[in-house]
Amino acid sequence: MAWFRQKYKDNIDPHAFPGNGTFAHGIHPPQCKDLAADSPIEIMPIPDKVVLPLLQHIGGPCAPVVKPKQTVRAGDLVGMGEAYVSASLHTPISGDVLKMAVTTLANGRHMQAIVIRSNGEQRTGQALWDIMFGGKWPQKEYQTLSPEEINAAIHDAGIVGLGGAAFPTHVKIDSDDRKPIEILMVNGCECEPYLTTDYRLMVEAPDAIVAGTMLAARAVRAKKAYIGIENNKLEAVESLRRAASGAGVKIAVVKTKYPQGSEKHLIKGVLGKEVPLGGLPSDIGVAMTNVATVTSVARGVMRNIPLTHRVVSVTGGGIVQPKNLLVPLGISMGALIAYCGGLRKTAARIIAGGPMMGFAFTNPDTPVTKGTSGITVLTHEEIRRVEQTVCVRCGRCVDVCPMNLVPTKIAMASRQNDFTLARKYNINACFECGSCAYICPAGLPLVQLIRTGKAQIAGAGR
Amino acid sequence: MNTDITENNSGPLIHVAPSPHVYSTQLTTRNMMRDVLISLVPVMLAALYYFRWLAVKQLFICVVSCLVAEAVFTRLRGRAISLKDLSAAVTGIILALSLPATAPWYVGVIGSTAAMGIGKMVFGGLGMNIFNPAMVGRAFVMIAFSGLLAASGYVAGGGVDIISQATPLTIYKQSGMVTPLPALILGKVNGSLGETSALACLIGGLFLCLRRTASWELSAGVLVGASIIGGVANVLNISNPWSVVHHLNSGALLFGAFFIATDPVTSPLTPRGKWIFGLGVGAFLMVFRLFSGYPEGLMFAVLLMNAVTPLLNRWTIPRPFGGA
Ligand code: SF4
Ligand code: SF4
């Protein structure tokens, strides 16, 4: 009974979906979303130039299709995704192509990049917002599109998952007769602390999200579509409920807990099913995407506009004026930070993404890519580094691991290069969510050790 | 383009580090130990109230000896001195509280040295040891000075009247006389310093469990394990006036359940392992009480379960999410 009341109190309607609205284990790091949550999305002014890395997704890099000195218009194809798992690249600005350059991505990888100097001739400000998210999203006219047509449009638009992983969307929703999809799950959890991009989109562009969800559901031939949102984002819930009324998209409100936005854990919370160890959501008939991604699906299919911009939260205690910005791909992270008033003196770490899984970087020239969900600048007080001691075998890491692993054992096995033992403890099931390292009273770099172990296992050929 | 991204000219120092970039400070090794010290306050107060200066003396001797022993052993091993993690102090207090008030000073000194040396340092220090250091220290002095720590060792004359009688478990074992429950609960009985008051153990223990510093599964396991064996014995011998409730409130049971079995280093990692460990300690403790020549069996039970902890960890690997 208490459980039942709790469910209602948390605004989780137990009849709306089969799961119980949460998963076992996980952590409750400080949310810190209020820093930027109430700043409406601002349109970033056009930069002088953009640097477009040829690989900003999972898979093969794209091949440049433009030459230096060539003039391009905003939205033109500049890089062709040739491999099946790849995504095409389009320029967000009009201007001249400069010499190819090598740039360093936030994750430390060096990558060839197409550089384009702006000539200032393209939409910006409100006009840009209107074609990206504004206006009407008439679903009726698109109900005749076949899944293949939708998928082709997604492919042409160069869409990848915008939640951070940047996996090419056309691959994710490609139909596979052996694994029919029953349910499309759209992730609006944004469980990383600080980040508010998905939240702002859900509040400001719910119609585009619902339209994109319907299209993606058609593309995968799903019978049902859910949008999963954590119950700390009630304004987003209201906004989407209004937009989705009558559309056949269900809003599933789940409990706020990290990492509720992990695809496996969202499926568990909403559908009550577990994706098999080492498997994919499609193994149990689920296709997964994210709210920001479906807006680009709607835009690509209905308005024939490729993925050239994305919303980025610039937030954290180390930023003078946290904001949410609609920015062109390829703009430098430093420009975004400067637009938000710059760094505070107390800033200690700049992260591409959120604090749990993001990459720390120092070079302000690092370009924004399709997978950049935010820039989080933390102060020492926010990091709260714990002094490192030996493992006291308290088992807290076991208690919080959402994959129900024994992180300390995996980490110690990795440290000792005992990969047989590490595999026995299912090292490859770890998705590096960081919960174990967050909670560890001994301040041990568990994720780092596990990551090294995984890399060595992968390097050894298995 | 404006690449000066800082608020003013003196730019902040930016570091890189692998994710995650935020940490919980709710629980750190240091404040875990601090919590344990706080939770021991009621028990120490009860000891001071009933045993007066004998308790002061014993606590002082053990804590100082443990700190000194830790410092010396770490120095000998060429390591940095780790006193500030407070774990040596915790071991000292727990050892003192598990000794009789009457034990002479050298028992405390030798017990502490054994606890830190054999219990901890030979394994490589905090986190590496298999056996609960305080229990190793106690076992050592129990073998070395068996007379002083046997049932009769608890009894002495002198200014503190509580030590003029034997411990409740001994009285019962020898004469069948049952100490009334209220005395057991409040602590107006003889025993090791920490075992007198069931109430004090309960207060401190609940604090530890509620703070999640101690894993509640361990304490619950001990209580359930002891209740099951004690309950069965109770039912089989219904006329026995020393009921399972007396068992639960007497001797080192509660002290052990909350302060000794909960040592994270020497107990299992997994929730299931923790339950099995707790149940094992509770059950063996009762078996020792009921069938061995000793009135109390906590120390043996804990050391026994410590020995199987590595196995428990291996047997209780949890089923991974999505696993078969
Ligand atoms: S949380 Fe840290 S100290 Fe505790 S068992 Fe895990 S690794 Fe060891
Ligand atoms: S072991 Fe991996 S999956 Fe488990 S908590 Fe740690 S990082 Fe997350």
Side-chain angles (χ1 to χ4, degrees):
Chain A
M1 200 55 212
W3 166 84
F4 191 70
R5 246 182 296 132
Q6 182 68 29
K7 247 185 134 178
Y8 270 109
K9 201 184 99 225
D10 294 335
N11 217 319
I12 294 167
D13 176 1
H15 303 300
F17 48 87
N20 67 354
T22 188
F23 62 96
H25 300 185
I27 53 171
H28 293 278
Q31 294 283 315
C32 302
K33 300 225 185 223
D34 44 341
L35 285 172
D38 296 326
S39 312
I41 299 170
E42 284 179 46
I43 319 295
M44 185 77 191
I46 306 163
D48 301 339
K49 66 167 190 188
V50 292
V51 177
L52 301 166
L54 290 173
L55 182 65
Q56 23 191 305
H57 49 259
I58 291 175
C62 32
V65 296
V66 288
K67 297 246 147 29
K69 299 206 181 109
Q70 191 178 331
T71 303
V72 289
R73 290 207 354 247
D76 280 357
L77 182 74
V78 294
M80 185 73 190
E82 287 167 339
Y84 173 61
V85 182
S86 183
S88 293
L89 188 58
H90 306 77
T91 171
I93 63 174
S94 302
D96 304 318
V97 179
L98 304 183
K99 269 223 292 287
M100 286 279 266
V102 173
T103 184
T104 311
L105 302 181
N107 62 13
R109 242 174 117 165
H110 298 289
M111 187 54 54
Q112 291 263 305
I114 297 170
V115 185
I116 293 164
R117 187 174 52 210
S118 165
N119 61 11
E121 292 169 14
Q122 78 254 4
R123 282 197 189 86
T124 180
Q126 189 61 37
L128 181 69
W129 173 264
D130 286 343
I131 61 154
M132 292 269 162
F133 298 103
K136 292 246 174 306
W137 297 91
Q139 289 156 35
K140 278 223 174 62
E141 299 157 37
Y142 295 90
Q143 279 172 2
T144 51
L145 284 182
S146 74
E148 289 74 22
E149 286 168 314
I150 297 173
N151 210 351
I154 290 172
H155 182 265
D156 291 344
I159 296 170
V160 305
L162 298 182
F167 191 79
T169 302
H170 70 92
V171 180
K172 226 174 183 182
I173 66 178
D174 202 3
S175 57
D176 176 347
D177 294 339
R178 283 161 304 165
K179 293 181 186 173
I181 298 297
E182 291 274 319
I183 291 167
L184 175 77
M185 184 75 74
V186 181
N187 195 340
C189 287
E190 198 166 48
C191 63
E192 272 275 3
Y194 291 89
L195 302 187
T196 50
T197 59
D198 289 349
Y199 172 70
R200 287 313 311 174
L201 274 178
M202 290 188 280
V203 171
E204 296 183 50
D207 295 320
I209 292 174
V210 170
T213 302
M214 297 302 287
L215 287 170
R218 276 191 71 75
V220 294
R221 301 177 165 90
K223 297 184 185 67
K224 273 191 196 150
Y226 290 98
I227 301 178
I229 311 177
E230 284 184 324
N231 63 355
N232 61 347
K233 306 180 184 66
L234 294 181
E235 209 181 316
V237 172
E238 284 310 307
S239 150
L240 277 174
R241 279 209 173 120
R242 241 177 284 129
S245 66
V249 178
K250 293 205 168 110
I251 311 298
V253 184
V254 293
K255 261 200 194 162
T256 304
K257 180 161 73 168
Y258 182 85
Q260 181 63 73
S262 136
E263 59 180 22
K264 290 183 175 182
H265 297 90
L266 183 57
I267 291 172
K268 171 78 181 170
V270 175
L271 303 178
K273 288 189 198 168
E274 289 187 9
V275 176
L277 193 64
L280 292 170
S282 58
D283 294 338
I284 54 170
V286 180
M288 189 92 185
T289 179
N290 139 294
V291 286
T293 316
V294 293
T295 62
S296 31
V297 167
R299 203 155 59 230
V301 176
M302 296 181 169
R303 298 186 177 173
N304 209 6
I305 301 173
L307 177 61
T308 55
H309 288 66
R310 65 158 301 144
V311 182
V312 177
S313 294
V314 184
T315 180
I319 283 282
V320 173
Q321 179 63 60
K323 288 178 195 282
N324 300 291
L325 302 171
L326 178 65
V327 305
L329 299 177
I331 191 172
S332 76
M333 302 267 203
L336 269 54
I337 294 174
Y339 187 76
C340 295
L343 302 178
R344 286 188 198 280
K345 255 199 214 145
T346 48
R349 197 172 294 172
I350 311 179
I351 302 156
M356 293 306 297
M357 295 180 78
F359 295 97
F361 66 97
T362 51
N363 185 352
D365 295 331
T366 307
V368 169
T369 61
K370 292 177 180 177
T372 308
S373 47
I375 301 174
T376 310
V377 182
L378 299 180
T379 62
H380 281 299
E381 288 74 69
E382 291 173 292
I383 296 172
R384 303 185 302 182
R385 182 90 191 111
V386 173
E387 189 190 350
Q388 189 172 333
T389 68
V390 292
C391 171
V392 291
R393 294 189 231 158
C394 62
R396 288 298 175 281
C397 51
V398 184
D399 295 343
V400 300
C401 176
M403 294 306 291
N404 208 12
L405 307 174
V406 188
T408 175
K409 289 280 184 193
I410 307 177
M412 297 312 143
S414 299
R415 180 184 268 170
Q416 286 151 13
N417 292 327
D418 186 347
F419 301 123
T420 320
L421 187 64
R423 266 205 298 264
K424 187 168 158 233
Y425 279 98
N426 294 298
I427 183 170
N428 284 320
C430 166
F431 66 107
E432 299 170 25
C433 70
S435 302
C436 51
Y438 171 83
I439 209 77
C440 176
L444 290 169
L446 295 168
V447 182
Q448 197 185 346
L449 290 167
I450 296 173
R451 204 179 280 139
T452 316
K454 276 167 66 173
Q456 300 224 28
I457 289 175
R462 232 165 12 95
Chain B
M1 178 178 309
N2 183 8
T3 48
D4 177 23
I5 56 173
T6 54
E7 190 180 19
N8 50 38
N9 292 331
S10 63
L13 203 54
I14 303 294
H15 297 280
V16 292
S19 66
H21 304 284
V22 287
Y23 298 90
S24 164
T25 46
Q26 190 208 338
L27 203 69
T28 64
T29 311
R30 179 110 64 106
N31 63 27
M32 261 171 116
M33 294 300 168
R34 191 199 57 205
D35 276 5
V36 176
L37 288 180
I38 295 173
S39 69
L40 283 165
V41 167
V43 186
M44 288 192 275
L45 286 179
L48 294 181
Y49 180 77
Y50 290 115
F51 296 99
R52 312 291 159 108
W53 53 273
L54 289 176
V56 179
K57 188 191 77 181
Q58 202 64 275
L59 281 165
F60 180 80
I61 291 172
C62 288
V63 171
V64 170
S65 315
C66 276
L67 291 173
V68 170
E70 163 122 324
V72 170
F73 287 125
T74 358
R75 180 60 63 78
L76 285 180
R77 290 170 48 91
R79 298 271 176 88
I81 292 188
S82 59
L83 291 179
K84 65 177 187 210
D85 69 20
L86 297 177
S87 75
V90 168
T91 304
I93 294 176
I94 292 185
L95 177 63
L97 292 177
S98 63
L99 290 175
T102 46
W105 65 271
Y106 50 85
V107 169
V109 172
I110 293 176
S112 303
T113 314
M116 302 317 286
I118 307 176
K120 209 164 141 187
M121 289 306 158
V122 292
F123 291 100
L126 177 68
M128 302 296 162
N129 48 310
I130 292 178
F131 295 102
N132 186 311
M135 290 299 101
V136 171
R138 194 180 190 285
F140 192 87
V141 289
M142 185 144 173
I143 296 163
F145 307 101
S146 51
L148 292 173
L149 277 95
S152 58
Y154 281 83
V155 189
V160 181
D161 37 313
I162 206 164
I163 56 170
S164 59
Q165 333 162 335
T167 68
L169 284 166
T170 307
I171 297 177
Y172 174 66
K173 220 163 193 152
Q174 287 170 352
S175 68
M177 227 169 70
V178 175
T179 313
L181 272 176
L184 291 174
I185 291 171
L186 287 176
K188 219 173 141 29
V189 291
N190 196 359
S192 298
L193 290 174
E195 23 177 272
T196 54
S197 167
L199 189 65
C201 292
L202 211 57
I203 294 172
L206 288 181
F207 167 79
L208 273 190
C209 291
L210 290 177
R211 295 261 310 156
R212 311 261 314 116
T213 301
S215 302
W216 63 271
E217 294 95 333
L218 293 165
S219 307
V222 176
L223 299 181
V224 172
S227 306
I228 292 175
I229 303 285
V232 169
N234 207 174
V235 170
L236 292 183
N237 186 1
I238 204 83
S239 56
N240 189 339
W242 191 270
S243 74
V244 56
V245 182
H246 289 83
H247 270 301
L248 287 177
N249 286 295
S250 63
L253 201 147
L254 286 175
F255 184 67
F258 289 114
F259 301 104
I260 296 175
T262 51
D263 172 33
V265 176
T266 55
S267 60
L269 284 165
T270 62
R272 243 181 339 135
K274 286 174 182 172
W275 268 110
I276 299 174
F277 180 93
L279 290 170
V281 169
F284 280 121
L285 179 148
M286 286 306 301
V287 168
F288 284 118
R289 274 192 189 177
L290 293 168
F291 303 115
S292 82
Y294 292 102
E296 181 56 292
L298 173 79
M299 184 186 75
F300 298 117
V302 168
L303 292 174
L304 191 66
M305 291 313 288
N306 285 162
V308 296
T309 292
L311 283 177
L312 288 179
N313 278 334
R314 224 165 299 154
W315 289 338
T316 59
I317 300 178
R319 180 191 72 93
F321 183 94

